[in-house]
Amino acid sequence: MTELSRINAPSAFAAMIAKDRAFRGIGPAKAAALDARFGSELRAALESRDPAVAELVGDEAAVAAFAAVQAKAAEADVLEWLTGCGALEAVGIPAALKIARCWGHDGLSALQANPYLLTAFLAWPVVDRFAQSLGGAPDDSRRAVAVVEALLYRRLDANHTATWPSYVAQGVEGLIGATGVCAERAIDLAVTQGAVVAFESWLQPSGAAAMEAFLANRLTALSNEAPVVDLLVRPITDSELADAIADYERSLPYRATERQRAAIALAFRFRLSVLAGYAGSGKTTSLRGICEVAERFGRQPVLMALSGRAAQRMSESTGRRAMTIARFLKDFRSERSALTNVSIVVIDEGSMLDLPTLWRIVKALGKASLVLVGDPAQLPPIGFGLTFHVLCEHPGAPKTVLDRVMRQSADSGIPSIAEAIRHGREPTLSAFTGREDGVSFIDCKEDDALDCIREVGLRLRADGMNRDAMQIVAAVKAGPAGITAINTVFHRMRRKLKPTVPLFPGRPDIAESDPVIWTRNDHERGLMNGSMGRVDRIDGGTVHATIDGTSQQLSATDGQFLELAYAISVHKSQGSQWPIIIIPVFQNRLLDRTLLYTAITRASRQVILLGDPHALQKAIVKPSRALERALTLKLRMAEAHNNTTQKQMGSKRWAR
């Protein structure tokens, strides 16, 4: 019997109350105790306010649970329906909980009327089998629409927000063939019913299309609007702004460049501004200047970044509080945080912003201004879409580009090497001799890479570096020098030293003290895909971890969203920085100059490249394709910009 086949309704409901914050005071351990006591009658026990509940969880938690079970009845109904239909085994508890939360009060009736709605959450074969088991016909129009959506979601999983109709037509034929509606008819139905949006020569999932359309219009408007003023927030004159920037510059140990000064000024001229800068170009000087000038005129800089490490670096470099974007959005939803025209939202590591994240931020912006700071040469975001890179290329976006390596930033030698790689020039690298600022290279075979990494680590530890100062960053998971192999070996080494250390429930590959990385967005807990931390303590079924600097209590169901982080992917390293980075370099499909540039700039003091010198040379010389994503944001922004320009020209003609 498999683990999935043992899943039943009570365990699903217990998982629900363990994860839902409405059931205050009930975590995994207490939920398991309730499940063991009441079994399939657990929901009924809560609804009837059974006194035995309080005996197990305490009076306060019991009162909260009695109220929560009424509020969450619709979600529980969805779980019960999935179980009754025999779908829970295929769906899995985490996906079932997500489905229940998403659909809310209308969930059960909507899913009963059209089980193909599950396409948004599950793989097409699972949904199709399930729907047909409930009586769906092969030529059902709902099936035709759903298969088109499934193909677009598949592309979305590959980070593309737009797809060619020919690709969709071919995919429809491949998935349902002659048994279903013809491909052209399926596409027409999907567009007519609003499940899919046709824009110019592209097809898009309706959600992604709506996000790109909203951002195109709103970002264009912000690019043409001055900061909002009123009786309390007065406008800043050109002379006042120039004086404030000059005063800030006098506090610096070096003279700011004209572009650094322009970047500061731009933040107070438009509600949207973009500060694009390459490694070592002095973005931090402008970023700190924006904060200084803002506070001088009574504005409030609201600093944030996607990852906890990036927020921490932002705080250290500006001397001001910075938060993760997840924390800001969570506080905004709970009405603990609100932006006004006094606020200037400044987001660092802007290249990491995927489409949904920037959409959420702009939706929450209100009357505030927005400054996006980032490096356009870095890899695109982990999630779907492109935003910052599009704005950097868009002619209508107010922006400043810092493209010269500053002398004070070049001391480590890393920015100059990164600049050479960005331009496709092969740099001269020194040999590794231990702890020393700069970029070095070790020639080694792929089968010897793990031993080489271990020797490098031992040498650096002997030179006084602790484990948290070093991070291994690799291009791919597979292979002798891939992420999986590195993590497996280093985990086993730790287990060999401490064989009795507790293991994560259900994850024999993760133990106490192991570094870990979170792999999905969880805005409720303030965790993002790529949040990093360490397992602090394991007490039976409860795991205590510190992730992005915040204490988290995890359960066995969270294990599927964790990976070891002795080595992480270059994508997952974005937004973070360590004193020392170790990078295996061997031929693979992802290795190119953009990936190398991103990996190298994760280090503040030292980079050790090890591997095949020919693979390194080829990656640097070959043009990058990392930013080749299919999307419509660029087209939509051009359209919105042209419309705005035409309106402005019309207004000028009327004024004359």
Side-chain angles (χ1 to χ4, degrees):
M1 180 184 293
T2 66
E3 186 65 29
L4 280 176
S5 66
R6 288 195 296 268
I7 292 175
N8 52 38
S11 63
F13 186 71
M16 172 182 161
I17 65 175
K19 292 181 71 66
D20 198 309
R21 295 190 176 215
F23 294 86
R24 296 190 308 276
I26 299 181
K30 289 183 177 179
L34 289 170
D35 192 18
R37 169 64 176 81
F38 294 103
S40 61
E41 299 300 316
L42 175 55
R43 181 181 178 183
L46 295 179
E47 290 175 335
S48 65
R49 299 175 177 260
D50 191 320
V53 172
E55 295 174 6
L56 288 170
V57 302
D59 292 340
E60 187 175 344
V63 170
F66 296 153
V69 75
Q70 302 299 326
K72 301 292 180 177
E75 296 179 20
D77 288 343
V78 172
L79 286 179
E80 290 185 0
W81 179 72
L82 289 170
T83 303
C85 295
L88 194 60
E89 179 178 341
V91 171
I93 289 178
L97 293 175
K98 185 177 180 180
I99 292 166
R101 285 195 301 269
C102 178
W103 287 102
H105 291 289
D106 299 326
L108 184 56
S109 58
L111 290 171
Q112 287 174 331
N114 183 8
Y116 279 106
L117 292 174
L118 292 171
T119 303
F121 302 93
L122 305 171
W124 169 254
V126 174
V127 176
D128 196 32
R129 284 196 303 270
F130 175 55
Q132 291 197 55
S133 73
L134 296 178
D139 61 349
D140 191 329
S141 62
R142 298 174 302 173
R143 185 181 188 229
V145 171
V147 74
V148 174
E149 288 186 281
L151 288 162
L152 294 181
Y153 290 142
R154 183 182 295 177
R155 289 274 291 171
L156 210 59
D157 289 340
N159 297 323
H160 303 290
T161 64
T163 304
W164 309 279
S166 58
Y167 172 91
V168 176
Q170 185 178 2
V172 170
E173 296 291 346
L175 288 178
I176 64 176
T179 64
V181 177
C182 73
E184 289 74 14
R185 174 63 175 156
I187 293 172
D188 288 343
L189 283 169
V191 172
T192 301
Q193 295 183 18
V196 171
V197 173
F199 180 78
E200 296 198 359
S201 58
W202 298 97
L203 295 175
Q204 295 186 274
S206 59
M211 289 180 191
E212 289 190 330
F214 170 81
L215 280 179
N217 293 324
R218 195 73 193 106
L219 294 175
T220 299
L222 294 173
S223 298
N224 290 277
E225 294 176 8
V228 178
V229 296
D230 54 27
L231 294 175
L232 298 177
V233 182
R234 65 176 184 82
I236 305 170
T237 67
D238 290 343
S239 60
E240 288 175 329
L241 185 57
D243 289 345
I245 295 173
D247 287 346
Y248 166 65
E249 188 175 6
R250 280 190 283 273
S251 70
L252 300 174
Y254 44 82
R255 183 174 174 79
T257 67
E258 182 179 347
R259 290 191 182 184
Q260 286 175 320
R261 293 191 292 271
I264 298 171
L266 205 59
F268 301 93
R269 288 288 165 256
F270 299 97
R271 289 190 62 198
L272 170 68
S273 64
V274 176
L275 171 53
Y278 302 108
S281 62
K283 293 190 298 295
T284 299
T285 298
S286 294
L287 176 58
R288 195 164 53 241
I290 291 171
C291 295
E292 294 276 352
V293 174
E295 291 168 349
R296 174 168 173 159
F297 293 106
R299 271 65 167 178
Q300 178 189 12
V302 181
L303 310 182
M304 62 184 80
L306 195 64
S307 72
R309 279 180 174 269
Q312 182 179 355
R313 286 198 299 119
M314 196 179 192
S315 181
E316 292 169 352
S317 64
T318 63
R320 292 160 176 84
R321 176 179 178 267
M323 71 185 94
T324 64
I325 292 172
R327 169 56 59 184
F328 163 74
L329 292 173
K330 181 180 179 182
D331 289 349
F332 177 79
R333 284 193 304 272
S334 62
E335 300 182 351
R336 288 198 298 265
S337 175
L339 300 174
T340 69
N341 59 330
V342 174
S343 309
I344 301 178
V345 176
V346 184
I347 300 178
D348 200 8
E349 298 289 351
S351 63
M352 297 177 63
L353 296 176
D354 60 17
L355 179 63
T357 301
L358 185 58
W359 175 79
R360 290 188 180 98
I361 292 167
V362 175
K363 292 276 282 188
L365 198 61
K367 295 182 178 181
S369 297
L370 175 64
V371 180
L372 299 176
V373 184
D375 186 338
Q378 287 193 13
L379 286 169
I382 296 172
F384 62 81
L386 278 180
T387 57
F388 183 79
H389 297 83
V390 171
L391 285 168
C392 287
E393 295 179 359
H394 181 56
K399 59 180 169 290
T400 307
V401 180
L402 307 179
D403 56 4
R404 182 165 65 88
V405 175
M406 305 300 293
R407 178 185 58 79
Q408 62 272 12
S409 301
D411 293 344
S412 71
I414 295 172
S416 58
I417 297 294
E419 183 180 33
I421 291 173
R422 176 166 61 86
H423 289 294
R425 301 193 305 266
E426 188 177 4
T428 300
L429 303 177
S430 60
F432 175 71
T433 57
R435 170 69 192 100
E436 183 180 8
D437 284 1
V439 183
S440 58
F441 181 79
I442 302 172
D443 187 342
C444 76
K445 297 185 181 301
E446 192 169 13
D447 288 340
D448 299 329
L450 289 175
D451 289 337
C452 185
I453 291 171
R454 187 174 61 84
E455 290 171 5
V456 167
L458 290 172
R459 175 59 190 269
L460 292 171
R461 291 293 294 272
D463 289 346
M465 303 307 298
N466 65 53
R467 64 183 185 181
D468 291 330
M470 300 176 275
Q471 180 62 49
I472 305 167
V473 175
V476 294
K477 286 187 175 183
I483 296 166
T484 301
I486 295 170
N487 281 328
T488 299
V489 167
F490 278 84
H491 167 77
R492 288 175 179 171
M493 287 170 57
R494 181 179 292 277
R495 290 276 290 151
K496 189 174 182 179
L497 291 173
K498 297 181 178 180
T500 60
V501 69
L503 296 173
F504 196 106
R507 288 293 302 268
D509 58 326
I510 297 178
E512 194 172 271
S513 296
D514 273 337
V516 290
I517 186 166
W518 188 259
T519 61
R520 74 159 185 170
N521 292 338
D522 187 335
H523 297 286
E524 288 298 317
R525 287 195 276 191
L527 297 174
M528 301 296 289
N529 185 358
S531 295
M532 295 184 65
R534 192 175 291 274
V535 177
D536 299 322
R537 191 175 79 258
I538 299 176
D539 296 328
T542 303
V543 178
H544 302 272
T546 301
I547 303 178
D548 270 353
T550 302
S551 296
Q552 299 284 349
Q553 184 173 304
L554 308 177
S555 65
T557 56
D558 294 315
Q560 63 185 311
F561 307 122
L562 285 174
E563 293 178 2
L564 287 170
Y566 292 99
I568 61 174
S569 70
V570 180
H571 264 106
K572 295 288 178 70
S573 74
Q574 283 185 269
S576 299
Q577 195 169 50
W578 295 263
I580 301 172
I581 290 290
I582 302 168
I583 309 169
V585 180
F586 297 97
Q587 185 61 48
N588 61 70
R589 61 183 179 82
L590 296 180
L591 187 64
D592 65 10
R593 71 174 68 156
T594 302
L595 184 138
L596 271 175
Y597 174 90
T598 304
I600 285 172
T601 54
R602 297 311 87 211
S604 60
R605 305 309 308 175
Q606 183 175 13
V607 177
I608 301 103
L609 298 163
L610 57 92
D612 181 357
H614 301 294
L616 177 63
Q617 179 188 38
K618 183 178 179 181
I620 293 171
V621 174
K622 182 181 177 181
S624 175
R625 300 182 61 185
L627 299 178
E628 294 182 1
R629 293 187 179 186
L631 59 147
T632 68
L633 182 60
K634 186 175 182 179
L635 295 171
R636 292 178 186 273
M637 289 202 68
E639 181 179 79
H641 176 65
N642 291 338
N643 291 340
T644 300
T645 302
Q646 290 172 7
K647 289 179 182 178
Q648 291 171 344
M649 291 175 63
S651 298
K652 289 178 181 178
R653 283 196 295 270
W654 276 105
R656 289 199 294 269

